[in-house]
Amino acid sequence: MKRMQDRVAVVTGAGNGLGREHALLLAREGASVVVNDLGGTVNGVGGDGAAADQVVSEIRAAGGKAVANHDSVATPEGAQNLIDTAIKHFGRVDALINNAGILRDKSFAKMALEDFEAVLRVHLLGSTYCTKAAWPLMLEQKYGRVVMTTSVAGTSGNFGQANYGAAKMGLLGLMNVLAVEGAKANIKVNAVSPGATTRMTQGLGAVSGEIDELMQPAHVAPAVAYMASEECDFTAHIITAAAGGFGRVQFFETEGVQFDPRQPVTVDMFAQAVAVLTDLSTAAPVAPGVLGQMPARLATVGIQF
Ligand code: NAI
């Protein structure tokens, strides 16, 4: 079964690495693919349409359907033009894979704010602009699949990547809210947290040579293709994918403590409860919505609402 038959997918940053594999696999699964890439270096300098064109040629040579787009996702105009390209050539957008990214690594102490902003602009704002352009179409057709690309640099932290980690966590906030807002229109918004040897990670020395070879970007693409397909019925999930291994990252909250809010609550009371309220053995997944554990906790001191 071809999971993306008659579907249209837009993949950003699809000229290299992970995006390229996502585009190739989505095309093999039957999707018409818009291959976006402005070219440029890992640091986001320069631009060259050849990378996207090459992937389009590969897809077409294999009998698939694809067009290239060379806009930068980091401007609202570029993102709009990308989505317009999909409409012009294929008439709709079913899946949007926000994958484009750059690095400007430095310790926070040494990082220029310009480099902080440049990374946020491509990852966080670029994904926002593309999703914003596709969103009304998805709402209208009552169907959509959006995949964000997050990173362990955000969910776990990594030295020298304050800009990147902040952008990647920002994307998860965007995902959570859009998952709620898109629910009634059958729009599922999920994230992949990949690990792969690409030009972005080559030489970073995170893992040894042998493992490096096993971390093929093609091993990440199946998770993305699934989340881009109708078969995917979950939303706001963060799926890890590296070297053929897959998992799920989820935020948890502890059972915590509850004081009577009709009485003063002091720092001393908090200090005495720290060990209990931070004890993860009582943690449960956070539920969508803004109240969290509050109703359950207040019930323990006799307050119902
Ligand atoms: P890559 O450097 O091979 O590919 C990124 C692509 O995005 C490049 O082709 C680049 O030209 C394109 N791009 C950059 N800025 C753009 C813009 N403004 N508009 C359009 N295209 C743009 O890197 P890789 O590893 O394939 O990364 C893909 C995504 O996966 C990124 O979001 C990255 O942060 C994320 N990621 C990768 C990990 C890995 O282990 N490779 C780990 C965690 C996250």
Side-chain angles (χ1 to χ4, degrees), residues 48-232:
D48 172 7
D53 294 347
Q54 169 67 28
V55 175
V56 168
S57 300
E58 275 182 66
I59 291 173
R60 288 187 182 157
K65 281 185 244 147
V67 293
N69 167 276
H70 305 125
D71 281 296
S72 170
V73 296
T75 69
E77 300 76 27
Q80 186 63 54
N81 196 43
L82 167 59
I83 300 303
D84 289 349
T85 303
I87 298 301
K88 185 174 150 208
H89 289 270
F90 302 127
R92 53 188 286 131
V93 176
D94 296 294
L96 169 64
I97 316 301
N98 288 306
N99 164 81
I102 61 168
L103 285 185
R104 300 264 175 104
D105 290 3
K106 273 218 165 73
S107 68
F108 190 55
K110 294 188 181 143
M111 185 181 288
L113 284 177
E114 190 195 330
D115 287 336
F116 198 99
E117 289 162 7
V119 165
L120 254 68
R121 208 171 296 123
V122 176
H123 292 271
L124 181 55
L125 292 180
S127 301
T128 303
Y129 297 151
C130 292
T131 310
K132 176 80 176 153
W135 199 249
L137 306 171
M138 291 181 170
L139 285 177
E140 171 87 27
Q141 72 198 9
K142 295 201 170 3
Y143 180 83
R145 297 289 182 265
V146 179
V147 181
M148 308 292 181
T149 306
T150 186
S151 169
V152 286
T155 53
S156 305
N158 193 28
F159 191 93
Q161 297 197 307
N163 48 4
Y164 184 74
K168 291 306 198 186
M169 284 302 275
L171 284 171
L172 297 182
L174 180 66
M175 172 191 80
N176 283 330
V177 172
L178 295 188
V180 172
E181 293 189 9
K184 277 199 184 131
N186 189 18
I187 304 174
K188 312 286 188 205
V189 189
N190 291 292
V192 65
S193 181
T197 307
T198 65
R199 64 178 203 165
M200 189 182 268
T201 53
Q202 220 148 26
L204 290 185
V207 285
S208 69
E210 200 183 325
I211 303 294
D212 242 25
E213 275 172 37
L214 299 175
M215 292 179 68
Q216 295 169 24
H219 289 334
V220 173
V224 170
Y226 180 89
M227 290 191 280
S229 75
E230 194 171 356
E231 192 178 354
C232 176

Side-chain angles (χ1 to χ4, degrees), residues 261-280:
R262 291 159 296 205
Q263 306 294 328
V265 179
T266 66
V267 183
D268 275 346
M269 289 160 74
F270 180 86
Q272 277 161 25
V274 159
V276 174
L277 71 92
T278 58
D279 175 11
L280 287 176

Side-chain angles (χ1 to χ4, degrees), residues 1-8 26-32 65 94 230:
M1 181 189 75
K2 288 200 170 185
R3 290 187 163 77
M4 295 296 289
Q5 201 64 51
D6 301 323
R7 297 290 188 189
V8 178
L26 286 164
R28 280 203 300 278
E29 289 287 339
S32 301
K65 281 185 244 147
D94 296 294
E230 194 171 356

